[in-house]
C-alpha cells in the first residue's frame, strides 16, 4: 500500500526513490521509497510502497538512504574502523492527503 511519511529529523540525509523502508519496532524490510521532497521547513516528506499491515498513520519507520558514493554494505559486525555504512533515518506514516482547514469550504 502507498503511504505518505515524514522524516522526523530536520536536515536529515536525503531520502530517495528506491531506498529501503524497515519497520522500526520489528526491524524487518517492509517496502521501498517511491518519492520524497524537502519542504521549506527543512523536513522531508515522501511516499513509499509498504506492506499493508504497516500503513496506519503514526507507524514508525526507518529508512536507509543509499550512500551517494559506491560503498560495500556490510553488517555492523563486519565493519573495520573507518569503513562507511548506511545510517538510517527515522520517519513516521502521516495522513496520505492534506486536509483542508475547517475554515475553508470544499466544493
Amino acid at each position: 500500500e502507498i503511504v505518505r511519511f515524514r522524516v522526523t529529523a530536520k536536515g536529515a540525509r536525503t531520502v530517495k526513490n528506491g531506498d529501503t523502508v524497515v519497520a522500526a519496532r520489528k526491524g524487518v524490510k517492509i517496502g521501498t521509497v517511491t518519492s520524497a521532497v524537502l519542504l521549506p521547513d527543512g523536513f522531508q516528506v515522501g511516499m513509499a510502497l509498504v506492506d499493508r499491515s504497516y500503513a496506519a498513520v503514526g507507524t514508525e519507520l526507518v529508512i536507509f538512504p543509499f550512500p551517494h558514493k559506491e560503498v560495500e554494505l556490510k553488517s555492523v559486525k563486519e565493519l573495520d574502523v573507518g569503513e562507511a555504512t548506511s545510517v538510517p533515518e527515522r520517519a513516521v506514516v502521516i495522513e496520505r492527503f492534506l486536509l483542508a482547514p475547517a475554515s475553508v469550504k470544499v466544493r
Side-chain angles (χ1 to χ4, degrees):
E1 184 165 335
I2 293 287
V3 298
R4 189 166 172 250
F5 65 84
R6 180 178 174 103
V7 176
T8 57
K10 187 175 188 175
R13 287 187 44 213
T14 303
V15 174
K16 301 174 289 309
N17 177 30
D19 288 345
T20 298
V21 180
V22 172
R25 295 184 188 263
K26 294 197 176 189
V28 296
K29 180 178 178 177
I30 59 168
T32 306
V33 172
T34 60
S35 62
V37 65
L38 179 64
L39 298 176
D41 65 2
F43 289 93
Q44 296 176 74
V45 295
M47 304 291 276
L49 181 60
V50 301
D51 181 292
R52 187 172 297 236
S53 58
Y54 297 94
V57 172
T59 300
E60 295 177 0
L61 309 172
V62 177
I63 300 172
F64 285 84
F66 288 119
H68 292 290
K69 59 183 179 180
E70 193 72 29
V71 296
E72 179 185 352
L73 295 180
K74 301 178 180 179
S75 74
V76 176
K77 290 181 180 182
E78 297 174 318
L79 289 174
D80 290 325
V81 173
E83 287 186 309
T85 190
S86 181
V87 178
E89 296 294 345
R90 292 206 166 269
V92 63
V93 175
I94 59 175
E95 291 288 341
R96 188 157 169 207
F97 300 102
L98 296 175
L99 302 176
S103 62
V104 176
K105 290 187 178 185
V106 179
R107 296 180 192 210

